[in-house]
């Protein structure tokens, strides 16, 4: 049997050559699916799949002994002197397993221009980051690029103290103070970070009522917060916030803007479409 590192390295070379964003591991079928966002590029039978699957769990610091669980972890890997940020997610039940390896920076996007956003929309988004306080939400479906766009915005800001709370940190930015957190620690970390008087605090994702409550409390205390949230349309963002039991008066007091984006495939490439809605401060 080949060395597992050599096998994984060959797998990464192929993925990068295909410019795929995800590799789906299907141990029960002994197959790999190379995907670019939601587009299937290639499906192959892979004899060493189980060994690579276990190796990736180790690399991503996923608890080996935990069963019937969903877990994920991140790590970095060099391919021909280029550094790639990787996230491995697993779903395991008694009888089935499934894993997804996401290559987070297969396409380097660190500016709004690289996102393909119009000049007018870019100006609208960046203008919201000059407000003294409030909440800016980046929304879209899974895989639409919400976090990529939000951090591209933050990376363009000059002379701003920007802190982020992420679970996990998927990509590192020299201009942002990034802290890894967990759901149970979010409220305490927000309290601690606000003592350092950031100009902007970015939250990786709003997942629960507790997350939203902590974010609203920080916004109402006079700070500018930005975060991502899953939604199927611009209108559904408000429905999601309502489902998370936000108080309407609080929301009207702090919400400054929503950026909704979708991803489409055109002529073998990807294209982002944006809708930007601003609210009066």
């Amino acid at each position: 049997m080949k060395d597992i590192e050599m096998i994984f390295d060959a797998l990464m070379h192929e993925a990068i050559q295909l410019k795929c964003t995800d590799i789906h591991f299907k141990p029960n079928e002994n197959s790999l699916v190379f995907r670019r966002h939601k587009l299937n590029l290639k499906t192959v039978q892979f004899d060493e799949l189980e060994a690579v699957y276990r190796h990736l769990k180790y690399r991503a610091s996923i608890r080996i002994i935990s069963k019937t669980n969903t877990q994920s972890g991140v790590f970095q890997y060099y391919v021909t002197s280029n550094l790639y940020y990787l996230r491995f997610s697993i779903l395991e039940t008694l009888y089935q397993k499934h894993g997804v390896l996401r290559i987070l920076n297969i396409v380097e996007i660190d500016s709004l221009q690289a996102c393909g956003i119009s000049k007018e929309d870019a100006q609208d988004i960046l203008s919201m980051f000059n407000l003294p306080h409030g909440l800016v939400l980046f929304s879209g479906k899974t895989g639409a690029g919400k976090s990529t766009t939000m951090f591209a915005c933050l990376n363009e800001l000059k002379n701003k103290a920007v802190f982020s709370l992420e679970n996990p940190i998927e990509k590192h930015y020299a201009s942002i103070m990034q802290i890894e957190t967990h759901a149970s620690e979010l409220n305490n970390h927000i309290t601690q970070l606000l003592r350092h008087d950031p100009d902007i605090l970015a939250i990786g994702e709003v997942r629960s009522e507790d997350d939203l409550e902590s974010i609203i409390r920080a916004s109402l205390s006079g700070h500018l917060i930005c975060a991502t949230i899953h939604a199927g349309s611009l209108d559904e963002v408000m429905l999601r916030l309502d489902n998370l039991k936000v108080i309407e008066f609080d929301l009207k007091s702090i919400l400054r803007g929503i950026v909704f984006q979708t991803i489409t495939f055109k002529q073998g490439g990807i294209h982002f479409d944006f809708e930007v809605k601003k609210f009066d401060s």
Side-chain angles (χ1 to χ4, degrees), residues 128 131 135 234 238 251-252 254-258 277-281:
M128 291 188 279
L131 297 171
L135 175 64
L234 194 60
M238 304 306 293
L251 188 62
K252 287 183 177 179
I254 62 168
L255 189 59
R256 299 293 176 259
I258 300 173
K277 185 172 183 179
K278 297 175 71 174
F279 298 85
D280 295 333
S281 57

Side-chain angles (χ1 to χ4, degrees), residues 190-245:
I190 288 177
T191 301
Q192 297 298 329
L193 288 186
L194 293 183
R195 292 171 179 165
H196 295 266
D197 195 24
D199 294 308
I200 299 167
L201 177 58
I203 309 296
E205 184 182 340
V206 180
R207 294 186 174 97
S208 67
E209 293 177 28
D210 290 340
D211 291 350
L212 187 57
E213 183 180 349
S214 298
I215 289 168
I216 288 174
R217 189 181 299 116
S219 298
L220 289 172
S221 68
H223 293 84
L224 185 61
I225 313 294
C226 63
T228 71
I229 187 169
H230 282 86
S233 69
L234 194 60
D235 291 335
E236 286 181 21
V237 176
M238 304 306 293
L239 287 174
R240 279 228 57 205
L241 293 172
D242 185 58
N243 287 337
L244 292 171
K245 295 181 170 56

